[in-house]
Amino acid sequence: MTDIEQEFIRDCWYVAGWSGDFTHALTPLRILDEPIVVFRTEAGVPAALEDACPHRKLPLSKGRLTGETVECGYHGLTFDCSGACVRAPTQDGPPPAVTNPAWGRTQGGSMDIACHYLYVVDNLLDPSHVAWVHVSSFAGAGTGNLPLDLEKLDDGIIVSRWVMDAPPPPYYEPILPFSGNCDRKQHYECRLPSTAINMSVYTRAGTGGDNDNLPDDAFLNISYNFMTPVDADNTRYFWFQHRNSDPDNQEISNRMFEGAKAAFIEDRDVLTEVHKGMKTSRTRHINLGIDAGAMRFRKMVERRISEENTT
């Protein structure tokens, strides 16, 4: 495992869960290999604390949530939403111490993947893997060896290409507003620390290729992906999709969600084995041309971690 696979960018936001995952109850999580307890106040305001009482490190998630405060289940030390100790029963005082009504969207999904989060990012910057991993869903003609365009951003990378006059992948064929061959753009974008925006653009054959002048009946689907490192060996993966059609068609939303989930399970199966293989490798690994975007993104991560460690 390389140095950047043992460290994380810390001065940034990661996804802890969907809004509905957190209620007025203590929910333990592990993010960046650190224990955290998340809860909502009675007014619904979210709060997060280290999941450890400073006395003997009993997890606060093993205690009680009372009103706006968390009480440790060992000796009753009580903490407010900022982490300040506001009560110490055994001594005199506290110790020191995306919304467009014309677009439809799927529900949010999440899954745990037993691999380092950068392997998930690598996967989401690689449009070519769909030809082998997602044969029955995202795969389509032309995705194997067409050249890729690479754009470097201040905080990320975009890998993209247009595939012209080809049949649509099985996942998209029943959703498109037109039939037959089409032009389609694969847009794979990742931003620091680990947010991926994958956009699929479909137009009638012969009408695509110009990003700034898409036809009126072009179909767009944007997949938002958030990778939260649990630790160096595990990732919590969140996603949802947003399309420019059928805002009230729950059947399409459900079909897209289930299809995407099935494809992401295929990714999970591959990436779990990739992580194990890389972690226990006895010979040198190689990079291919399709890894150019992922390697540049890893350099960005490495540079950001180095900057944080020197400040």
Side-chain angles (χ1 to χ4, degrees):
M1 185 172 287
T2 64
D3 289 342
I4 66 164
E5 291 174 4
Q6 300 180 60
E7 299 188 65
F8 308 103
I9 299 174
R10 295 182 179 273
D11 188 16
C12 58
W13 291 97
Y14 290 95
V15 175
W18 296 105
S19 179
D21 292 341
F22 305 110
T23 62
H24 187 60
L26 299 173
T27 302
L29 298 174
R30 196 165 192 88
I31 296 177
L32 306 189
D33 206 18
E34 295 189 9
I36 297 171
V37 60
V38 181
F39 60 95
R40 289 185 182 275
T41 67
E42 290 180 326
V45 178
L49 302 174
E50 179 186 5
D51 194 11
C53 177
H55 173 224
R56 288 293 183 266
K57 301 301 182 181
L58 179 74
L60 290 176
S61 58
K62 300 291 186 182
R64 286 168 287 279
L65 178 59
T66 305
E68 313 288 282
T69 60
V70 180
E71 181 185 81
C72 177
Y74 197 8
H75 295 96
L77 268 69
T78 303
F79 305 89
D80 66 15
C81 296
S82 72
C85 184
V86 296
R87 182 169 179 264
T90 61
Q91 59 185 60
D92 292 336
V98 179
T99 312
N100 185 331
W103 285 53
R105 60 164 290 176
T106 67
Q107 68 186 81
S110 64
M111 69 170 61
D112 289 337
I113 306 179
C115 76
H116 192 278
Y117 81 101
L118 283 176
Y119 291 131
V120 188
V121 173
D122 290 350
N123 193 64
L124 289 167
L125 278 172
D126 170 22
S128 296
H129 80 278
V130 299
W132 292 273
V133 179
H134 305 306
V135 175
S136 63
S137 54
F138 295 151
T143 56
N145 58 4
L146 277 181
L148 298 167
D149 295 322
L150 184 63
E151 180 182 352
K152 185 177 181 295
L153 309 172
D154 289 340
D155 65 343
I157 294 290
I158 297 176
V159 177
S160 65
R161 64 182 168 194
W162 276 93
V163 180
M164 310 302 286
D165 193 13
Y171 177 81
Y172 283 102
E173 185 175 15
I175 305 170
L176 296 178
F178 41 78
S179 59
N181 282 9
C182 57
D183 300 337
R184 71 183 184 277
K185 183 183 182 183
Q186 294 177 296
H187 173 108
Y188 283 39
E189 175 181 347
C190 281
R191 302 290 187 115
L192 293 174
S194 51
T195 297
I197 304 162
N198 292 356
M199 180 168 62
S200 298
V201 180
Y202 288 82
T203 71
R204 298 178 188 274
T207 64
D210 186 344
N211 298 326
D212 298 321
N213 294 285
L214 296 174
D216 292 339
D217 63 349
F219 177 84
L220 282 73
N221 184 51
I222 304 175
S223 178
Y224 297 92
N225 309 270
F226 311 93
M227 283 64 68
T228 299
V230 175
D231 53 34
D233 298 303
N234 296 278
T235 301
R236 189 155 294 125
Y237 177 32
F238 302 88
W239 76 88
F240 74 94
Q241 293 175 300
H242 204 205
R243 64 182 182 276
N244 69 335
S245 68
D246 300 296
D248 301 316
N249 193 322
Q250 193 59 45
E251 180 183 353
I252 289 180
S253 295
N254 292 342
R255 186 193 314 158
M256 292 183 71
F257 175 80
E258 293 300 332
K261 182 179 178 181
F264 296 154
I265 289 173
E266 293 172 336
D267 284 323
R268 182 185 65 188
D269 293 344
V270 169
L271 294 175
T272 298
E273 295 303 318
V274 165
H275 178 86
K276 288 192 293 187
M278 291 290 282
K279 190 171 183 178
T280 61
S281 65
R282 303 178 65 177
T283 56
R284 179 175 172 269
H285 76 277
I286 63 170
N287 295 318
L288 304 176
I290 57 173
D291 298 313
M295 293 302 100
R296 289 199 183 189
F297 189 83
R298 282 173 173 255
K299 284 291 185 184
M300 289 183 170
V301 172
E302 186 175 22
R303 187 159 50 248
R304 181 68 68 85
I305 290 173
S306 178
E307 291 170 355
E308 288 188 357
N309 289 341
T310 56
T311 56

